Amino acid sequence: MSGKLATRLIHTRGARLRPATVNPPLERASTVLLPSVAALYGEKPAYGRMGLTVHRELEAGLATLEEARHVRLAPSGLAACTLALISVLDAGDHLLFSDAIYGPTRRFCERTLKRFSITAEAFPPGIGAGLEERIRPETRAILLESPGSLTFEISDTEAIVALARARGLTTLADNTWSAGVYHKPLALGVDVSIQALTKYVVGHSDAFAGAVMAADDEIGGRVAEAAEAFGIGLGPEEAYQALRGLRTLPTRLAAHEAAALDLAERLAGHPAVERVIHPARADHPDHALWVRDFTGSSGLFAIELKPVARADLNAALESLAVFGMGFSWGGYESLVIPCDPQLRRSPGDWTGDKAGPLLRLHVGLEAVDDLAGDILGALGRLAG
Ligand SMILES: *Cc1c(COP(=O)(O)O)cnc(C)c1O
């Protein structure tokens, strides 16, 4: 391009290399240039808000992962949860949600939806077909998270889908724990699967992203309409990071799984540990449901400790050198948090908090012997 410097600095497109690279080009774009007036009002994409090349490729990958026909991207996992809910609920509706759902999603259900005249009510995650008694004439949807990411109860998806279908209710499931690799809600008849891609898909603790996935065209259309109405999309850098993470997701998840099961076994016999809470272990109360509906487990589980003074527990956790303390999970690094302060459960629904503290562990990709040495050493301070 010829012209003055200011013009030439803007029109650098002639210098752009477009060889056949392995990865798609990352387009940082609001404006899309179109070749004619007809194309302005006829061609898609005509604007960057709902994403361009990288986004379409990420959506295609997620559709494959979750056996979905429709995928919508969101700027965080929480935004994906709220987008999914707002897509399927109208004023006057009643929502039933698992008592084990992610805390900020629960807050949205109980407080924000209420402002729009939508009522929300928790049910015990293990209620199964007993949920039928909670259904009201105005009940519209049921939200699951199985297993819950603090307490790891598995819901009976089959029973809940059956009763929802019989009554024309929409079912949604937050599928972040399995990352879509080990659990396929849509294949089990759930209408909407949601993931915080921030966790395992991104996998490196460096970006936020979320996705809402559906098999049915009508529901997919409602999610698309809500996403466009609210302007909910994902930035290109984050979409790129999620797409990059997706390539190695099954490989990484298998390593998280193996290390977590190994560590869980070593923790199970420890004198400071009351019980290990991991649905893939035979002693988990919902193990049979996990066997039926899951093909594997990820790196996130909990342990309940024997009663211990909080100050001693805090000192033990602060002595850890390999495990870090921090929120979120799904990255390559191992994390631990005391998570009972986060529990927001209906009275009587979770009995675990009556005993010792609950620790949640995310088992990363470090050598498992180093992880075991670290956490067993810290727990040894409590038992001794
Ligand atoms: C982290 C998380 C979310 C929210 O994801 P963000 O990207 O942090 O907003 C939603 N659901 C579950 C189960 C999560 O663990």
Side-chain angles (χ1 to χ4, degrees), residues 5-71:
L5 180 64
T7 309
R8 284 187 283 129
L9 287 180
I10 289 169
H11 292 268
T12 57
R13 284 196 304 284
R16 190 176 298 166
L17 289 173
R18 275 292 173 85
T21 53
V22 171
N23 291 294
L26 190 159
E27 296 142 310
R28 293 186 184 89
S30 51
T31 298
V32 175
L33 295 177
L34 292 151
S36 67
V37 174
L40 274 178
Y41 296 102
E43 252 175 45
K44 296 255 177 200
Y47 198 41
R49 189 161 51 214
M50 290 298 144
L52 296 164
T53 310
V54 169
H55 302 75
R56 295 296 91 74
E57 206 167 313
L58 174 60
E59 288 160 2
L62 292 170
T64 302
L65 177 68
E66 292 261 357
E67 301 180 13
R69 280 169 50 81
H70 303 274
V71 180

Side-chain angles (χ1 to χ4, degrees), residues 22-373:
V22 171
N23 291 294
L26 190 159
E27 296 142 310
R28 293 186 184 89
S30 51
T31 298
V32 175
L33 295 177
L34 292 151
S36 67
V37 174
L40 274 178
Y41 296 102
E43 252 175 45
K44 296 255 177 200
Y47 198 41
R49 189 161 51 214
M50 290 298 144
L52 296 164
T53 310
V54 169
H55 302 75
R56 295 296 91 74
E57 206 167 313
L58 174 60
E59 288 160 2
L62 292 170
T64 302
L65 177 68
E66 292 261 357
E67 301 180 13
R69 280 169 50 81
H70 303 274
V71 180
R72 279 279 155 171
L73 301 172
S76 68
L78 179 58
C81 293
T82 60
L83 168 62
L85 288 165
I86 217 71
S87 300
V88 302
L89 294 166
D90 292 312
D93 286 346
H94 174 243
L95 167 74
L96 287 163
F97 65 86
S98 162
D99 211 7
I101 62 167
Y102 180 64
T105 305
R106 180 187 194 112
R107 190 172 59 218
F108 178 80
C109 292
E110 290 181 335
R111 298 176 57 154
T112 311
L113 288 179
K114 197 170 169 197
R115 291 179 43 220
F116 298 95
S117 305
I118 296 163
T119 52
E121 176 189 340
F123 61 84
I127 196 169
L131 186 59
E132 181 138 32
E133 286 165 26
R134 309 269 180 119
I135 295 173
R136 305 179 193 166
E138 64 274 24
T139 302
R140 180 73 173 277
I142 301 168
L143 173 62
L144 301 171
E145 184 184 319
S146 178
S149 63
L150 299 176
T151 49
F152 302 95
E153 296 113 312
I154 307 271
S155 289
D156 187 342
T157 300
E158 199 172 274
I160 289 171
V161 164
L163 69 91
R165 289 225 161 149
R167 292 165 174 264
L169 309 182
T170 302
T171 46
L172 309 98
D174 184 330
N175 194 26
T176 303
W177 183 82
S178 90
V181 174
Y182 295 139
H183 183 56
K184 312 281 183 186
L186 302 180
L188 296 175
V190 172
D191 296 305
V192 180
S193 182
I194 306 159
Q195 266 201 57
L197 305 178
T198 309
K199 308 293 165 59
Y200 282 119
V201 172
V202 167
H204 294 72
S205 307
D206 55 1
F208 281 99
V212 179
M213 291 142 302
D216 176 76
D217 292 344
E218 198 265 331
I219 291 177
R222 287 181 72 112
V223 178
E225 190 182 324
E228 278 162 33
F230 286 98
I232 294 174
L234 181 63
E237 316 277 349
E238 287 76 13
Y240 191 93
Q241 279 164 295
L243 180 61
R244 169 191 281 221
L246 200 60
R247 317 292 189 190
T248 56
L249 178 66
T251 309
R252 285 185 287 112
L253 217 55
H256 286 290
E257 173 177 36
L261 287 169
D262 185 341
L263 197 64
E265 180 61 26
R266 299 194 209 194
L267 286 164
H270 194 278
V273 175
E274 175 71 27
R275 61 178 174 134
V276 169
I277 307 173
H278 189 313
R281 288 175 59 84
D283 61 358
H284 188 278
D286 303 325
H287 182 63
L289 286 175
W290 177 83
V291 169
R292 189 191 70 188
D293 292 346
F294 291 72
T295 54
S297 56
S298 62
L300 194 75
F301 67 98
I303 54 177
E304 189 182 318
L305 298 178
K306 302 236 166 81
V308 58
R310 280 284 163 176
D312 294 342
L313 174 64
N314 295 352
L317 292 176
E318 287 160 15
S319 77
L320 289 165
V322 186
F323 277 88
M325 284 193 291
F327 295 110
S328 199
W329 42 278
Y332 55 84
E333 79 294 359
S334 291
L335 297 169
V336 63
I337 51 165
C339 66
D340 35 351
Q342 274 189 54
L343 285 176
R344 300 280 177 277
R345 301 293 292 249
S346 303
D349 183 28
W350 167 253
T351 52
D353 57 353
K354 293 197 181 74
L358 192 64
L359 294 187
R360 185 182 73 183
L361 284 79
H362 178 253
V363 180
L365 302 176
E366 303 94 335
V368 70
D369 286 340
D370 294 331
L371 292 170

